[in-house]
Amino acid sequence: MQFFADTPLLDLAPYAGLRTEVRAFLAEERERAGIDSWVGSWEGFDRGFSARLAERGWVGMAIPQRYGGHEKGLLERYVVLEELLAGGAPVAAHWIADRQTAPLILRFGTEEQRAWFLPRIATTEICFAIGMSEPDSGSDLAAARTRAEPVGNGWRINGTKVWSSNAHRDDWMIALCRTGGRTGDPGEGRPDDRHGGLSQFLIDLSAPDIAIRPIHNLAGDHHFNEVVFEDHDIPADRIIGNPGDGWRQVMSELAFERSAPDRFLSTFRLIVELVRAAGPEPDRLAAGEIGALVARLAAVRLLSIQVAGALDRGETPNTEAALVKEVGTALEQDTPEAARRILAETPPGDRAALLEELLAYDVLHTPSFTLRGGAREVVRGIVARGLGLR
Ligand SMILES: Cc1cc2nc3c(=O)[nH]c(=O)nc-3n(C[C@H](O)[C@H](O)[C@H](O)COP(=O)(O)OP(=O)(O)OC[C@H]3O[C@@H](n4cnc5c(N)ncnc54)[C@H](O)[C@@H]3O)c2cc1C
């Protein structure tokens, strides 16, 4: 494993102008919302914000023009993602579709699926949920039991998805379902062909026979859902790729999910406010703590940008993507602790209320960051396997 040793380092400096434009747009949006700062991109589900962002051409940047996208280079897109997250902008309405659904449909979907879904993703007319996890299938995704059986001219779905972020607000879900193979359950025989029996389906969440039930998170917010399918019928053309290709497809989707700046910028707003509070002449403790956070941030950002380059070349850099997630989310989880140590010595300054709000949000939300997109132990296992250590 070389970790891009032979690849020239990608450089975002030429896109400073775009960065300034996005910052100006975000300043306008904060003014429109009448706020000084956003707290928490992930809880921010704002279709209006996403639509205005799309009007500026900053959603669907990786989608080809013939499918209604903007066909921009990966570095331009990366700059926009960084600015949105660094600003704490409310990105939840369009993020999933833009990050992983669009590339999935582009790569594995039929021409009809591309022509219908991609332009609607680029305008943010439709929002997507992820239907991977199940009550007994999280880290071990191949244990998925939700079944899709061929009936007449389509498929019949039965099963339960869980932890589906924003499914109560989204329009569509991509659900990983079992179309063959075995789960390994007692009574189902040997767990052979667990991967080969999985397929992905496009599910219209507005169907009245789908039950979407709330699950409240640690902070008391309704973000997660349980989504139950009971004899839910869908047309034949809603399968993505061929029956049995779901595992390979979902793995490529996870590389997008694990490597982007959303895996290390979730607590960036807090770091910025700490720098502000510490001022131009920070004491030794604040300088050391902030310096350590920023050094880690710089290293993981560099790796994340190189992974983005590999994805753009059509590669599936799963090991490197897993490493970004592991290193990035560890940094995010360490930030509130560092903040507490700094604030014990450093007065919070004139933005004390915002600092407190950011810190409270991060304390409640960072524990989940090493779970979403795959639990830490599992992600570390992927890195170890990629390095030939297991
Ligand atoms: C904020 C957030 C948003 C999410 N959004 C979505 C979503 O939109 N759609 C979706 O489908 N899912 C979503 N999830 C679910 C997420 O993908 C799962 O929580 C994750 O895959 C872990 O699965 P689990 O919760 O079932 O935990 P488990 O897999 O049961 O793991 C529990 C513990 O056991 C450990 N463990 C499990 N297997 C091993 C092993 N082989 N070796 C060592 N340790 C192991 C884990 O590391 C973990 O600490 C979200 C989760 C969070 C926190």
Side-chain angles (χ1 to χ4, degrees), residues 302-319:
L302 204 56
L303 180 59
S304 163
I305 294 171
Q306 306 313 309
V307 173
L311 288 169
D312 198 51
R313 295 190 294 273
E315 298 165 21
T316 309
N318 283 335
T319 307

Side-chain angles (χ1 to χ4, degrees), residues 5 18 42 48 77 94 134 137 166 198 212 220 222 238 259 268 304 333 335 341 350 357 360:
L18 173 61
W42 304 113
R77 178 165 183 272
H94 68 273
E134 297 186 9
S137 167
N166 290 313
L198 293 166
I212 304 178
H222 176 193
R238 295 281 167 77
S259 61
F268 185 76
S304 163
Q333 285 187 341
T335 306
R341 288 192 294 272
D350 56 357
E357 201 186 342

Side-chain angles (χ1 to χ4, degrees), residues 130-133 138-139 162-165 224 368 371-373 375 377-378:
I130 302 172
M132 294 191 197
S133 308
S139 301
V162 77
W163 313 125
S164 315
S165 301
F224 295 126
S368 71
L371 278 172
R372 62 180 187 187
E377 293 75 9
V378 172

Side-chain angles (χ1 to χ4, degrees), residues 125-331:
E125 182 189 330
I126 53 174
C127 307
F128 271 81
I130 302 172
M132 294 191 197
S133 308
E134 297 186 9
D136 295 311
S137 167
S139 301
D140 186 10
L141 198 54
R145 288 199 184 98
T146 296
R147 284 203 169 270
E149 282 168 319
V151 284
N153 207 10
W155 299 88
R156 178 160 296 164
I157 317 277
N158 274 290
T160 300
K161 292 291 171 184
V162 77
W163 313 125
S164 315
S165 301
N166 290 313
H168 59 306
R169 299 173 171 131
D170 290 323
D171 310 294
W172 289 81
M173 168 186 271
I174 294 192
L176 182 70
C177 301
R178 185 154 291 286
T179 45
R182 298 167 189 278
T183 61
D185 290 345
E188 272 217 289
R190 286 181 47 237
D192 50 353
D193 199 22
R194 296 166 87 225
H195 295 168
L198 293 166
S199 308
Q200 284 184 300
F201 293 89
L202 290 150
I203 310 265
D204 180 353
L205 290 176
S206 67
D209 64 340
I210 300 175
I212 304 178
R213 299 183 186 131
I215 302 175
H216 289 90
N217 66 13
L218 184 65
D221 302 322
H222 176 193
H223 166 87
F224 295 126
N225 298 275
E226 180 187 64
V227 181
V228 183
F229 304 100
E230 274 179 4
D231 290 338
H232 175 63
D233 290 340
I234 57 168
D237 62 4
R238 295 281 167 77
I239 189 166
I240 304 177
N242 297 313
D245 281 352
W247 185 256
R248 184 172 61 94
Q249 294 170 191
V250 110
M251 286 302 112
S252 88
E253 207 181 328
L254 282 172
F256 285 99
E257 188 175 345
R258 286 178 176 152
S259 61
D262 34 340
R263 296 307 175 210
F264 57 89
L265 283 180
S266 310
T267 52
F268 185 76
R269 289 284 304 111
L270 180 57
I271 299 178
V272 170
E273 291 303 324
L274 288 171
V275 170
R276 224 172 240 150
E281 289 180 23
D283 64 27
R284 209 177 151 72
L285 181 131
E289 294 278 3
I290 293 171
L293 292 175
V294 173
R296 289 166 69 184
L297 189 65
V300 70
R301 175 174 184 257
L302 204 56
L303 180 59
S304 163
I305 294 171
Q306 306 313 309
V307 173
L311 288 169
D312 198 51
R313 295 190 294 273
E315 298 165 21
T316 309
N318 283 335
T319 307
E320 296 87 342
L323 194 62
V324 171
K325 181 173 185 296
E326 166 57 18
V327 176
T329 52
L331 165 68

